[in-house]
Amino acid sequence: MSKRPPHLEAVGWSLAMIPKSSLPGTGAKMKTPAAAHACGVMLVLLSLPAVLQTTPAQKNVIDIYSLNVDSKVSSRFAHTVVTSRVVNRADTMQEAVFQMELPKKAFITNFSMIIDGVTYPGNIKEKDAAQEQYSAAVARGESAGLVKVTGRKMEQFQVSVSVAPAGKVTFELVYEELLKRHLGVYELLLKVRPQQLVKHLQMDIHIFEPQGISFLETESTFMTNELANALTTSQNETKAHIRFKPTLSQQQNSPEQQDTVVDGDFIVRYDVNRTLSGGSIQIENGYFVHYFAPTGLPTIPKNVIFVIDKSGSMDGKKIQQTREALIKILDDLSPKDQFNLISFSNEATQWKPSLVPASAKNVEEAKSYAASIHAQGGTNINDAMLMAVQLLEKANREELLLPGSVSLLLLLTDGDPTVGETSPTRIQKNVKDAINGKYSLFCLGFGFDVSYPFLEKLALENGGLARRIYEDSDSALQLQDFYLEVANPLLTNVAFEYPSNTVEEVTQDNFQLLFEGSEMVVSGKLQDQNPDVLSATVTGQLLMQNVTFQMESRVAEQEEEFRSPKYIFHGFMERLWAYLTIQQLLEKMVSASDAEKQALEIQALGLSLNYSFVTPLTSMVVTKPEGQEQSQVAEKPIENENRHRSIPSGHAVFRDHTQGGQGPRLLKGEALINLSIVRFPGMLHSFSSRQGLPGPLHFHHHSSFGRTLDSGLASMPAPPGLYEEFHEMDLALKEITQTVLPPAELPAPLHPLPSPASQLVLPAPGTSYAVPAPIQAPSVILPLPGQSVDRLCVDIKHSRGPMNLLSDPDQGVEVTGHYKRNKAQFSWIKVTFKKPQLQVHVSPEQVVVTRDRRSSAYKWKETLFSVMPGLVLTMDKAGLLLLSSPDKVTIGLLYWDGPEPGVRLLLQDTDRFSSHVGGTLGQFYQDVLWEPSAAADDSKRTLKVQGRDHPATREPKLDYQEGAPGTEISCWSVEL
């Protein structure tokens, strides 16, 4: 066995385009060198957005000199290629580790390495056959690498290879996925983490949608203003091209550092034009795809029962987030809906004896009930589900359900059944028999202590689907997001029909429910005698009415539309059909009988091998150069394998492969503690005298921004010897400080210390005196361009509940907020735009961005750069969120990291307000008149606003606009 190289370097990967001739399953012919048979690497991969990542061992010993990403999205089908080129800069053999993260729903179709001009390809095999080869390698003592979950949407694949001094390796990865419409958008997610500067770094994303692109936006978690200059987007009616090509200097964290800022997500979201019709039929290379998501349909009323787990394991954050989500979901019910709540632990309890209309009164009562749910006891899923079905059955018998309405059951649980019927198989049978195909069941698994396969089968057997809810700060948003997916049913019993003599091998063509924001997809193959016109009929039910859509597509025109463009991946329609067929077969296998499952598996395996897809049924074997005996297996993780462990997104584990020692290792229950001297260079106490009275006592400490924060004492008693005691304390602190800090690091005194006799006058013993209050930040600072006063400090003293801060109908913007007088902070601020339809809700805990009912949560001080039509949203690491547009007022939202965390409002470009602006703060941009200062006191003036007088005083304030702790300014202030 060859000796393992002393160092390990991980190689970031990129996405690029591989010629059709090099793709397995597309007529590729690739010669495998004889040396390649010496060792095999089995990569069991499945649906996986794209990530480049390196592990920082000996940094840049393995140098990524080229990283390319090329993603071609043709009619929702994304074909992505990653090409990473590396060179070994060391004078010894090094091990390059190729890591990548891919979307869970993608299928890898090819992976290859080019080493010294020789190509080592990947070959798709049946999993059992590949496993035999891998097991033999393990028996020889060779190590294995696995595909593992790295977040909610991602899986990571890794392979390694030894590289000689000055040797070069090219890694190429290809994967494909059908983008699914979710709450009105398609999303393409790419992760980029080279962890080093890359000389040639480029991403190209081409989108071609014959229906026309209705909107397009990009978002990045690593983009800076400097990097934004490297991002270009071009778009016409049916095509879009997004390119990201940063220079080395643009990638740098700073001119002094060689670290890269390119580290995180790059997301593209878009939707297509659609009408109230039978959808869009597209044809290419003898295959067709039919997309159906009509607009303009009314929403069908629904009967929904929420079945909520309140067992002891839900205690704490989970039950709190469940209550929060449930309260907001109840607010989203339509008055035409009917609903009920069931909570369960050892026993199941229903809120009302029957379903009730979603009237304002009933919704408020239900919200109060939801707020009172507390967690304790076991988990009796069986009784709770049967009780929910019986409620619907009773309402049906009593004819209380609106004819044609849709009945839904929503189950939320965080664990396996422990009380009553505990056999998952028997529970599944009981629920299936009770529902009997009449209602749809949707299951939500909260965390990793629940058997996801149990919930998935329970849902799929009853016309629904399952979803995992991840334990995180945004769990409540995840719950709301799932509910919104099923909140608005549009059609029931949808069926697609095509002439039997024109098409064959059609994918699923009958669907139980169509929800607003989703899309139905049917694909198939045209028979040998291609028709001139492919016609389709789509039928469904809307309430009690039958609805029929007719659709025709001219075959020759469609074929020509996809034949000429160079920016699409040709032959994609056949692979789209195969991808969709395999995904549907795998889903059917979940709830199929043993006999049915075997037939479905044979069919799915055949397609996976024929089209070179790495699926749960196949593995990819990658050969290596002779003498490299390490074998690695990558297998697509199964949901149940992740039980009892939660893997946060972005988590990284770094392994030390240097020789001659190990770092500290921790066992369960142990902690590693680093001790160091804690210095407080600014923590000096001193007094100043003003008109014979002592000044405030200042405590200075360093905030997270590296600045100092002042806090003072409002008043304190003055016992005898006050000055002497503090004088001695001051000297003692100086002595202590001098023992810790070199003299050069000592801070200058804040104020000169007054002499005891001449400058300090103390009150008599037993009396008290007021110490001037520290300078405070105002509630809001308003810039006033074009006025005699350039800024106005507004202090909100009489707020009650949510306030309308700003409203400008011409700008299409509204700002509301809730001000806490006792904390002198906003507890939340909400900004709403009409075009684009966007809402940003910020609190000290998080930032929530809602676009067309889709909500995304972000943590403060996370880098964010989102470009959408008519608006740019950015957030920096200092916690400043900016909403800007070329013709709109710029609105800033700032996380205030003071003694009382809160949020603050900033405004720029206020000269863009229209004459119709209003609100508590907007009024100051209307008819404003400053009266002259009084001759006796130039620190007081009167401000006339829309005929009302506001006394204004010039006084010192803290300017919060650069972040905590703020800087002192002189500002005209008014109270509201």
Side-chain angles (χ1 to χ4, degrees), residues 194-416:
Q195 294 194 0
Q196 62 174 266
L197 301 177
V198 180
K199 185 176 182 180
H200 301 290
L201 173 60
Q202 182 168 332
M203 284 198 302
D204 283 285
I205 300 164
H206 294 269
I207 300 173
F208 175 60
E209 291 290 351
Q211 286 178 253
I213 300 172
S214 61
F215 89 92
L216 176 75
E217 66 182 39
T218 61
E219 179 181 313
S220 170
T221 60
F222 59 80
M223 199 71 66
T224 62
N225 288 331
E226 182 72 15
L227 278 175
N229 296 324
L231 178 66
T232 58
T233 302
S234 58
Q235 178 185 348
N236 61 21
E237 184 180 352
T238 59
K239 298 188 292 289
H241 178 207
I242 300 159
R243 170 169 288 180
F244 177 61
K245 190 177 181 181
T247 63
L248 282 172
S249 62
Q250 288 172 327
Q251 297 173 47
Q252 281 183 265
N253 210 344
S254 67
E256 299 79 21
Q257 298 178 333
Q258 293 301 305
D259 295 333
T260 180
V261 297
V262 180
D263 183 1
D265 298 346
F266 188 85
I267 303 169
V268 179
R269 298 188 185 95
Y270 75 95
D271 197 15
V272 300
N273 297 320
R274 56 188 86 243
T275 59
L276 182 59
S277 68
S280 172
I281 297 178
Q282 297 167 26
I283 302 168
E284 192 243 5
N285 201 29
Y287 285 80
F288 78 92
V289 63
H290 187 173
Y291 295 110
F292 180 70
T295 60
L297 292 175
T299 299
I300 299 175
K302 60 185 181 293
N303 317 297
V304 58
I305 298 182
F306 302 95
V307 186
I308 307 300
D309 184 347
K310 63 171 184 177
S311 60
S313 58
M314 287 283 290
D315 194 25
K317 192 72 172 177
K318 284 195 281 191
I319 199 67
Q320 175 189 333
Q321 292 174 320
T322 299
R323 289 194 299 257
E324 177 188 336
L326 195 52
I327 288 169
K328 292 185 178 178
I329 287 171
L330 290 168
D331 271 332
D332 286 332
L333 289 171
S334 166
K336 296 180 180 179
D337 295 337
Q338 296 189 86
F339 74 105
N340 204 341
L341 304 171
I342 292 176
S343 58
F344 68 94
S345 53
N346 292 336
E347 297 178 348
T349 305
Q350 55 193 35
W351 168 56
K352 296 285 188 182
S354 60
L355 273 73
V356 298
S359 64
K361 179 176 179 294
N362 286 336
V363 167
E364 286 305 312
E365 285 185 22
K367 287 162 63 176
S368 297
Y369 175 81
S372 69
I373 295 176
H374 296 284
Q376 60 180 358
T379 307
N380 193 338
I381 294 176
N382 187 74
D383 286 0
M385 288 307 306
L386 295 183
M387 177 183 285
V389 177
Q390 288 164 9
L391 277 172
L392 289 173
E393 290 288 284
K394 176 186 174 185
N396 220 350
R397 288 194 305 269
E398 297 175 358
E399 298 183 350
L400 298 177
L401 303 182
L402 186 69
S405 60
V406 172
S407 296
L408 309 176
L409 297 159
L410 269 66
L411 167 66
L412 169 67
T413 182
D414 77 329
D416 294 340

Side-chain angles (χ1 to χ4, degrees), residues 34 46 96 155 195 252 288 297 330 553 558 622 682 750 762 827 840 925 942 970:
L46 294 188
E155 294 168 349
Q195 294 194 0
Q252 281 183 265
F288 78 92
L297 292 175
L330 290 168
S553 183
Q558 287 286 315
V622 178
L750 296 172
L762 292 177
S827 60
V840 180
Y925 295 97
T942 298
S970 177

Side-chain angles (χ1 to χ4, degrees), residues 776-796:
Q776 300 289 339
S779 305
V780 183
I781 298 176
L782 299 178
L784 301 176
Q787 297 191 27
S788 58
V789 173
D790 60 353
R791 63 187 168 203
L792 177 68
C793 291
V794 178
D795 284 309
I796 300 173

Side-chain angles (χ1 to χ4, degrees), residues 141-167:
E142 299 164 5
S143 61
L146 300 175
V147 170
K148 58 185 178 182
V149 173
T150 57
R152 301 176 188 178
K153 302 178 181 179
M154 312 297 287
E155 294 168 349
Q156 184 187 80
F157 160 69
Q158 174 175 305
V159 66
S160 63
V161 64
S162 297
V163 186

Side-chain angles (χ1 to χ4, degrees), residues 48 84-85 126 201 293 328 464 610 667 711 724 764 779 799 852 915 924 965 974:
L48 304 170
S84 181
R85 295 179 172 88
E126 183 179 355
L201 173 60
K328 292 185 178 178
N610 190 37
L667 301 178
S711 61
E724 287 79 9
S779 305
S799 66
D852 295 330
S915 58
F924 294 102
V974 298

